[in-house]
Amino acid sequence: MHIRRLSHALGAEITGVDLRKPVDDQTFHDIHAAFLEHCVLLFRGQTLTREQHIAFGRKFGELQLTPPHRIAHMAPDHPELVLVTNKPNPSAVPLDARYQGEGWHSDRSFVASPAKASLLRGVILPPLGGDTLFSNGYMAYEQLSDGMKALLEGLHGVHVQEDNRTLDRSTPERYAASLRLTRAAHPIARTHPDSGRKALFLAFRIKKFDGMTVAESAPLLKYLLEHATRPQYVYRHVWQKDDLVVWDNRCTMHNAVNDYDHAHVRHMERVTVKGNESGYVFEGNLD
């Protein structure tokens, strides 16, 4: 197994490992150590079946299942997979408008136990573009002044998922329950449970700080998100078919770039590893 850094900020490519075969404990120990050190791992040329993709994901922990009401994003025989698909749309809006990318985020940050890791595989790619950006929350936090670090201590950002795909509308009771589980507050300076290091834990979906109004929160949130996504903290991944990219949601954000011709299909498949509880369900006012 060989490890090659992909950028100064974060990311490493691992070669010499065939993920179509079972990964032994020592090899996975080395892979996991690289995952903690580099935050994003790339495995190229991995012609995996869905079963092999899921099996490797399970090495990182328990997998998140796609709920039945999100049938459009589920492989029926593989609820562990999320299908991330852009169908051809030649009349799509201009490239500077949001299409697939939601904005900078960490997966499932809107629940009290957000994702630990995500494993995304490139299945069908456009000829050009469709890149993914990753930012290093450790570096962004460590470069803040002592005064700003002191200000952030104890602050919790309220993450709200406003995408209706997440909500279960099958019954009034399920709708109410799923609505309650789309709002969570997490420390802005979050301590990573494995490394013990602090990282900025941000996302476009943070509406405010708990205990403050939206208007009061907005200037600092804007500064922090712009700071955390400066070029020196970012790695841009240019996808190739059969790439498998694994990232640590606890210390990174990512953003799918809308920079490709929407006459082409972009189809990715992802498994998501459940994480530890780091926040709490937010039931306060969102004003």
Side-chain angles (χ1 to χ4, degrees), residues 1 24 26 30 38 62 65 70 101 112 132 137 143 155 161 174 196 219-220 235 250 262 265 271 274:
M1 190 177 93
D24 64 73
Q26 182 58 54
D30 296 340
H38 299 287
E62 182 182 358
L65 301 183
R70 294 196 65 185
T132 302
Q143 292 301 311
L155 277 183
Q161 174 67 311
R174 289 179 179 175
L220 181 54
Y235 160 65
R250 302 164 296 181
H262 294 290
V265 174
V271 298
K274 292 182 179 181

Side-chain angles (χ1 to χ4, degrees), residues 83-103:
L83 308 183
V84 185
T85 308
N86 286 100
K87 297 178 181 179
N89 183 8
S91 60
V93 292
L95 290 178
D96 60 349
R98 194 173 81 183
Y99 186 68
Q100 176 60 42
E102 295 182 287

Side-chain angles (χ1 to χ4, degrees), residues 242-260:
D242 295 322
D243 279 356
L244 179 70
V245 176
V246 185
W247 65 87
D248 190 337
N249 283 289
R250 302 164 296 181
C251 56
T252 68
M253 287 189 293
H254 59 281
N255 187 8
V257 183
N258 179 27
D259 64 346
Y260 64 97

